Amino acid sequence: MIPRRKIARKKAPGTSRARWGSLPNSYSDFISSIIGEEYGFFGLFLLVLAFFILISTTFLIAIREKNEIKKLISVGFGSWIFFQTVINLGGAVGIVPITGIVLPFVS
């Protein structure tokens, strides 16, 4: 889980202490915790904003698309990224059990 005091106190990137043993699978399951510790709230905000833009773009493409197959592929891709992101970030925050699903395009 992401300690709030670690997010609030911003240090230089690369000075993270959690990845050196106290956080299991920091390179895959808890990469958002490391981003939060190294870049603070602003880094996590940018990460969530990037996923929001990506997911909303896939659904906007699906709405505008005339071809049914392309529409289904776009909705499927957007849903896949959405659920994988929600499960990973929810596990890092502690509201969802940790399942081993990595954060898409980051882990």
Side-chain angles (χ1 to χ4, degrees):
M1 292 197 317
I2 305 171
R4 289 193 182 118
R5 68 186 191 299
K6 295 286 185 181
I7 293 174
R9 193 175 350 142
K10 186 176 179 309
K11 298 179 184 176
T15 59
S16 173
R17 301 173 102 202
R19 72 173 129 172
W20 301 116
S22 64
L23 190 63
N25 296 331
S26 61
Y27 53 87
S28 62
D29 292 346
F30 292 102
I31 193 69
S32 58
S33 299
I34 299 299
I35 291 171
E37 186 177 8
E38 296 214 2
Y39 297 104
F41 177 75
F42 186 67
L44 281 177
F45 177 75
L46 287 179
L47 180 72
V48 172
L49 181 67
F51 278 114
F52 176 76
I53 291 170
L54 176 68
I55 293 166
S56 62
T57 302
T58 60
F59 287 121
L60 285 175
I61 289 171
I63 290 170
R64 294 178 185 158
E65 188 60 48
K66 304 286 188 243
N67 189 350
E68 200 66 31
I69 296 296
K70 292 179 183 178
K71 185 180 287 195
L72 288 174
I73 289 173
S74 181
V75 167
F77 180 73
S79 299
W80 170 48
I81 298 298
F82 172 76
F83 286 119
Q84 202 165 351
T85 303
V86 167
I87 290 172
N88 185 282
L89 293 178
V93 173
I95 59 175
V96 176
I98 301 165
T99 58
I101 294 179
V102 297
L103 194 61
F105 306 115
V106 179
S107 300

